Amino acid sequence: MPGKVWFVGAGPGDPDLITVKGRNVLERAGAILYAGSLVDRAATRYAPFGCEIRDSKEMTLEEITAWLIDRAEHHAHVVRLQTGDPGLYGALIEMTRPLTAAGVAWSVVPGVSSAMASMAAAGETLTLPEVTQTVILTRVAGRTPMPPGEDLEALAAHHCTLCIYLSITLLHEVQRALRAAGWPEDAPMLVVQKASWPGQEKIVRGTLADIKRKCQEEKIGSQAMIVASPTLGAADWPSLVRSKLYDPTFTHRFRKAEHSEVTYD
Ligand code: SAH
C-alpha cells in the first residue's frame, strides 16, 4: 500500500505563515521535495529527524513526479512543499495526474498566497465598501500565453483590485494595459518584493506613472507582487464609507440592530 503525497502550501516566505495543518503534515513526513527557487529551506524546519529533504529547483516535472511516486512507496507521508498556495501558478494538476495514474493518493493543503501577504505587509486591504468588492489574481503573458479574454487590458476595465503575479519584468506591459483601460497616471500602485521574508521584504509605493522607475531604483527584478487597486492608501483617506458588517443600523446573523431596516447574512 503506497503512502500519500501531500501538496502543501508553504505560504509566501515567513516560515510562520504555513498553516497548522501544513505544519502537522510536515511533522509526519518521511520525504519532502521543496520548490527551492521560491521556498526557503527554513520552511522545512518542521520536518522530523531523519526525513529526506530535497530541493526540486533543478528537476523537470517528470523527475519531480517520479521522485514523489518512488518515495510514496517507502513512506506513509510524502510532501511536495510549494510557495504560497499550491493551486496558484503551481503546476498542481500536471503533478497530480501522474500520481493518480500510478495509483498514489494525494491531497492539497492550501497556503497563504503572496497577494494576501503583500497587502498585509503594506497595511492595505484587498476590498473596501463602495470602492471595490472584487479582486482579480492574474499575470501578463510571458512564455505562458493568456487565454482569450484574459489580457490585462480587458481585466483592468473592471477597475477593481488587480494582483499581478509573475510579471515584475514586464512592468511596462502592465502600465500599457492599465493606461489602455483608462486608469489615470496618478492611480496608486504597490509592488512588494519577498513579502513576509524575514529581513528581505521591500515595499514600493508609487503611481501608474512612476512605479517602474521606483522599482528600478530599488533594483526589484524578481519575486515581486504588483498591485493596482482603488483601495491603496485608504488608511490615510480623510473619509471612508463604513463597512455594513459593523454598522449599528444593520442586522446580521450574529447581531441585531437597534433600528434595523436591512438584514444582511
Ligand atoms: N503559488 C504562489 C505563486 C507562485 S508564482 C502564491 O500563491 O503566492 C510566483 C510569483 O508569485 C512571483 O513571480 C511573484 O509574483 C509572486 N510571489 C511569490 N512569493 C512572493 C513574495 N513573498 N512576495 C511577493 N511576491 C511573491
Side-chain angles (χ1 to χ4, degrees):
M1 187 64 189
K4 183 169 181 175
V5 173
W6 297 83
F7 292 86
V8 176
D14 180 348
D16 280 356
L17 283 176
I18 194 166
T19 63
V20 173
K21 179 157 186 168
R23 189 179 70 188
N24 288 343
V25 172
L26 281 182
E27 284 170 354
R28 296 200 302 266
I32 299 172
L33 187 61
Y34 71 101
S37 51
L38 281 167
V39 177
D40 192 46
R41 196 182 164 94
T44 64
R45 72 183 185 191
Y46 304 108
F49 183 73
C51 176
E52 183 184 359
I53 300 176
R54 175 154 179 195
D55 181 354
S56 66
K57 200 164 41 217
E58 273 148 23
M59 294 165 83
T60 63
L61 192 76
E62 287 72 19
E63 288 166 345
I64 288 171
T65 51
W67 194 95
L68 294 172
I69 291 166
D70 176 73
R71 294 315 184 272
E73 279 168 22
H74 302 98
H75 302 286
H77 302 285
V78 175
V79 171
R80 166 66 178 158
L81 190 60
Q82 299 194 214
T83 175
D85 181 80
L88 264 172
Y89 309 114
L92 178 65
I93 301 306
E94 289 100 309
M95 286 184 277
T96 63
R97 286 169 58 110
L99 297 187
T100 302
V104 176
W106 54 272
S107 282
V108 182
V109 180
V112 176
S113 187
S114 48
M116 286 71 202
S118 297
M119 292 298 261
E124 296 285 355
T125 182
L126 289 153
T127 61
L128 201 57
E130 298 188 30
V131 175
T132 184
Q133 296 287 285
T134 304
V135 182
I136 293 177
L137 308 180
T138 189
R139 60 172 298 171
V140 295
R143 272 172 296 177
T144 308
M146 292 303 280
E150 292 188 21
D151 56 290
L152 187 59
E153 185 178 329
L155 299 176
H158 293 285
H159 290 267
C160 61
T161 298
L162 303 167
C163 297
I164 307 166
Y165 291 67
L166 294 161
S167 304
I168 192 64
T169 57
L170 300 165
L171 202 43
H172 56 279
E173 172 54 22
V174 172
Q175 287 174 307
R176 188 206 60 75
L178 294 184
R179 287 183 177 121
W183 290 57
E185 289 301 307
D186 63 355
M189 289 188 68
L190 173 73
V191 170
V192 183
Q193 185 180 43
K194 292 197 135 186
S196 87
W197 283 65
Q200 297 184 50
E201 180 179 274
K202 273 191 193 172
I203 299 174
V204 177
R205 293 174 184 278
T207 60
L208 176 53
D210 66 15
I211 193 71
K212 183 160 182 243
R213 178 180 56 75
K214 287 186 166 177
C215 286
Q216 280 166 343
E217 281 167 10
E218 293 288 333
K219 299 191 170 46
I220 293 178
S222 65
Q223 270 181 279
M225 175 65 48
I226 305 166
V227 182
S229 172
T231 68
L232 291 173
D236 299 322
W237 291 352
S239 68
L240 211 58
V241 177
R242 284 180 59 146
S243 168
K244 299 275 187 268
L245 191 58
Y246 303 111
D247 187 325
T249 63
F250 287 92
T251 292
H252 59 70
R253 244 175 341 132
F254 304 106
R255 179 166 50 71
K256 204 158 176 54
E258 286 148 32
H259 310 289
S260 176
E261 286 161 14
V262 183
T263 301
Y264 279 76
D265 55 17

